[in-house]
Amino acid sequence: MKFLSPVALLALAPAAASAWSTSAPRSLSAVRASRVIPATILNSYSTVTSGEAETESFRLAFTEGESSISPWHDIPLKGSSDGTYNAVIEIPKMTKAKMEVATKEPGNPIAQDMKKGKLRDYHGPIFWNYGCLPQTWENPNEEHPELKCFGDDDPIDVVEIGSKSLAMGTVAEVKPLGVIAMIDDGELDWKVVAIATDDELASQYNDIDDVPAAVKDGIREWFRWYKTPDDKPLNGFGFDEKWLDAKAAGEVIEETHEAWKGLRSGDIEAGKL
């Protein structure tokens, strides 16, 4: 198989009204340190920031009404209709700051990831909205029977391929289209590809075969290469690097939801959390 470099992936971008954006990368400094109400039509979630953008102190916390909530534990997994799920957007498309739900902090706010005392940024923008599905957990104690590796100890990741950029902290209802089994440093790190149910492309995309090959290849190759500028090896993928369909994605999501239930009940070892 011919691998594409991250720069070559730019050539895969289709024209307008596609799952790719050609807008310029936005800096995290564009995030205002004030209360923000993201696009959560079906829910009353809102967010509030603290600390200074682009610093270790920055946090984006979640509230519902007057109560503080955890975006990981308190936002329900299931959406408003059958086969849909809520996605918490951590990284808007065409941005570079490596933001994530802080699973080890009280309330689990979104913060910028740190590595060796430095804030982490991607070396180039990510071309899709990226986040996680609440109330899921990739169990680091359980070995996958076929892939022979363990979960990465995080909520399951979601790559939202719609036509719009979704703000950090948005809780978007999405439908899963497929999933790919990325293996990162020996750990299983599923990537669910999904689309927001209110996106203009949602009626066209219902399963993995509906997603353009350029988008599927672009996602896989972006995640294969993105750590190499830091002298890290290429990431690999299970199941012969194939995308699994929407049905398989739903099964993986449900498995990680069951693992999360075990984590919360104490039936499964919390490990490093």
Side-chain angles (χ1 to χ4, degrees):
M1 176 179 179
K2 183 178 179 182
F3 295 150
L4 302 177
S5 71
V7 174
L9 292 179
L10 291 170
L12 296 175
S18 74
W20 293 69
S21 168
T22 56
S23 58
R26 295 195 307 278
S27 166
L28 181 58
S29 60
V31 178
R32 296 176 298 167
S34 62
R35 197 175 188 83
V36 179
I37 301 179
T40 55
I41 297 171
L42 300 176
N43 303 293
S44 57
Y45 307 124
S46 58
T47 57
V48 60
T49 62
S50 61
E52 186 179 347
E54 296 185 338
T55 72
E56 186 179 352
S57 67
F58 177 84
R59 295 293 184 274
L60 186 143
F62 287 71
T63 64
E64 185 174 19
E66 297 302 312
S67 301
S68 297
I69 63 168
S70 161
W72 183 18
H73 300 305
D74 296 324
I75 294 174
L77 170 62
K78 299 291 179 69
S80 64
S81 57
D82 240 13
T84 66
Y85 299 90
N86 290 314
V88 176
I89 302 302
E90 299 161 312
I91 307 173
K93 69 192 299 184
M94 299 308 296
T95 64
K96 298 195 298 181
K98 179 69 170 67
M99 310 303 295
E100 62 182 19
V101 167
T103 58
K104 297 176 183 177
E105 291 187 19
N108 312 122
I110 293 176
Q112 191 164 358
D113 191 25
M114 300 281 294
K115 189 84 169 183
K116 297 181 179 179
K118 295 182 178 180
L119 295 169
R120 285 187 67 193
D121 286 279
Y122 294 133
H123 290 273
I126 190 166
F127 303 116
W128 315 273
N129 298 299
Y130 189 56
C132 66
L133 298 182
Q135 298 188 349
T136 64
W137 183 53
E138 297 200 51
N139 185 358
N141 307 293
E142 184 175 357
E143 185 181 55
H144 191 280
E146 294 179 65
L147 302 176
K148 303 301 180 185
C149 51
F150 296 83
D152 73 347
D153 204 20
D154 283 324
I156 196 168
D157 296 322
V158 60
V159 183
E160 195 281 324
I161 62 169
S163 55
K164 298 176 289 189
S165 177
L166 301 177
M168 185 195 313
T170 296
V171 180
E173 185 173 88
V174 301
K175 61 177 176 180
L177 306 171
V179 68
I180 197 165
M182 189 173 92
I183 299 172
D184 181 356
D185 199 21
E187 295 179 332
L188 179 56
D189 187 5
W190 292 103
K191 305 297 182 188
V192 174
V193 66
I195 190 160
T197 56
D198 64 352
D199 193 90
E200 64 188 77
L201 297 171
S203 62
Q204 303 173 36
Y205 294 171
N206 296 294
D207 213 327
I208 195 63
D209 289 340
D210 300 327
V211 180
V215 175
K216 291 183 286 191
D217 292 346
I219 293 170
R220 186 184 58 242
E221 297 308 314
W222 195 95
F223 282 103
R224 187 196 304 280
W225 286 87
Y226 82 101
K227 289 186 176 180
T228 58
D230 295 318
D231 296 322
K232 300 288 186 182
L234 296 170
N235 286 324
F237 299 89
F239 301 109
D240 297 322
E241 304 201 342
K242 293 177 181 175
W243 284 95
L244 307 182
D245 63 13
K247 180 175 181 292
E251 292 169 354
V252 171
I253 293 168
E254 291 304 320
E255 287 172 6
T256 58
H257 183 49
E258 290 303 312
W260 171 83
K261 289 180 181 178
L263 172 69
R264 295 293 283 171
S265 68
D267 293 337
I268 299 177
E269 177 74 30
K272 297 178 182 179
L273 292 175

